[in-house]
Amino acid sequence: MNETPTPARDMILLKEGEVVLKGLNKRYFEQKLTQNIRRRLKPLGRFRVNVLQSVIYVEPQDESADVDAAFEALKNVFGVMTLTRAVACEKDRDVILRTAMEYLDEPLRAARTFKVESRRSDKGFPMTSIELSQYVGGEINEAYDNLTADMHNPDFIVHLEVRDRAAYVHGAPTQGAGGMPVGSNGTAVSLLSGGIDSPVSTYMMAKRGLRIIPVHFFSFPYTSELAKEKVIDLAKILTAWCGRMFVEVVPFTHIQEEIRAKCPEEYFTIIMRRMMMRIADEIGRKNGCGALVTGESLGQVASQTMEAMQCTGAVASLPVLRPLVGMDKEEVIRLARKIGTFDTSILPYEDCCTVFTPRHPCTHPKLPKVEEAEAALDVEALVQEALAGRELVKLDPRRLHDDEL
């Protein structure tokens, strides 16, 4: 066996997801993905990021590079299908074998059964994938008394990849976030409340490649500063998936007081939602957005019947995306737990949507009746007043402590 030094440090291999299907546009999506990866890695030390044959290579450049933290951060980058810790070595069968036995010694000693899976994209390598697997597998089987080869249900799989630049050895890959790179499909405004649904809908549309601008409506003193901080905390959690964001906090107290004073009670919620959509639409158009995102689910509450959603969506010039529309609450809760927002969402702080809730809301409103009820308001003046008073809160995962994420 040829002698080769033990690899000093491992690296990370990322496999692209849907990006590989983009044909002539693939390079655009890869550039977005690598930009997002570099941005996410920047506070974690010096890394080199390269793309070759739909694999992204993340290599530490010096001791400042925190590979453990990088691996955890990259799990949440949309556009990555799988990721794995790996080590590179010379493209020689004996060097590959020695590297595998050194790098994977601990899991090999802990397993009872194993197999070797090889991929050879470098067709100049003198062995086929099957031949390499058979050679390395046979030698490992001889070297470890605890191991038996099992091609069908092994405890551990040794993965070998012979690529253009080097050979790579690794264990089982970890599932990535999937989806499309954030920013690759445009920008949208997401109406973000303190509930369970809207953070999940924000996550789902970021997964489809949208850069997100969250908008939160704040009704002080009917809702407290703690309620606003809860929403900011939810947005901080979402930055682990969505990347850097500006949260637009919109004062909504005067609008709600005007609705209570001048509009029929059964239409309070519908008219409130229409005012939110107008403001979000204006923010979206000023920021070059292509859509609005809401956490509405059909029939979940009185304001989310088909008629109610038609009435609220009628005031928006941008299309309204409702990723949760066909989901039930248990499905949404499972996703909220997965992305880490659930425990914050259920904290018992009031939300502006619960202010001045009608005793008997209209569940099947007719648009002409809603417009008639709304006519008592100076809609344009109220919208412009709210826009003038909004506060921007900048959130960036690079500047957040681990315990905030």
Side-chain angles (χ1 to χ4, degrees), residues 242-376:
C242 304
R244 58 186 180 181
M245 297 189 295
F246 286 92
V247 181
E248 302 251 12
V249 180
V250 177
F252 207 59
T253 307
H254 187 207
I255 289 175
Q256 290 191 285
E257 290 175 337
E258 285 287 287
I259 293 171
R260 180 181 62 172
K262 298 178 180 178
C263 301
E265 183 182 359
E266 65 267 28
Y267 292 123
F268 280 2
T269 303
I270 295 296
I271 293 172
M272 177 193 73
R273 298 278 306 171
R274 282 165 61 87
M275 295 299 290
M276 288 179 173
M277 296 294 272
R278 287 186 175 100
I279 293 166
D281 191 74
E282 186 73 15
I283 291 172
R285 288 190 291 109
K286 287 181 177 180
N287 284 278
C289 295
L292 307 180
V293 177
T294 76
E296 293 165 300
S297 175
L298 184 61
Q300 183 170 266
V301 294
S303 63
Q304 294 177 20
T305 62
M306 279 200 297
E307 296 90 341
M309 287 193 284
Q310 192 269 332
C311 288
T312 55
V315 299
S317 64
L318 296 174
V320 181
L321 306 180
R322 298 179 173 95
L324 310 187
V325 71
M327 298 176 68
D328 64 36
K329 200 66 176 183
E330 287 304 312
E331 291 174 301
V332 177
I333 288 172
R334 281 197 295 271
L335 259 178
R337 291 186 187 278
K338 172 188 171 181
I339 66 177
T341 57
F342 179 76
D343 289 340
T344 302
S345 290
I346 62 174
L347 292 175
Y349 301 127
E350 57 284 291
D351 186 89
C352 76
C353 293
T354 63
V355 176
F356 311 141
T357 302
R359 290 165 293 181
H360 303 289
C362 182
T363 56
H364 300 286
K366 304 299 182 186
L367 184 57
K369 289 288 187 182
V370 174
E371 291 173 338
E372 181 182 340
E374 193 179 67

Side-chain angles (χ1 to χ4, degrees), residues 23-36:
L24 296 177
N25 294 321
K26 179 182 172 184
R27 179 151 181 79
Y28 163 77
F29 289 94
E30 281 186 337
Q31 286 176 338
K32 284 289 185 182
L33 179 53
T34 53
Q35 286 171 5
N36 293 344

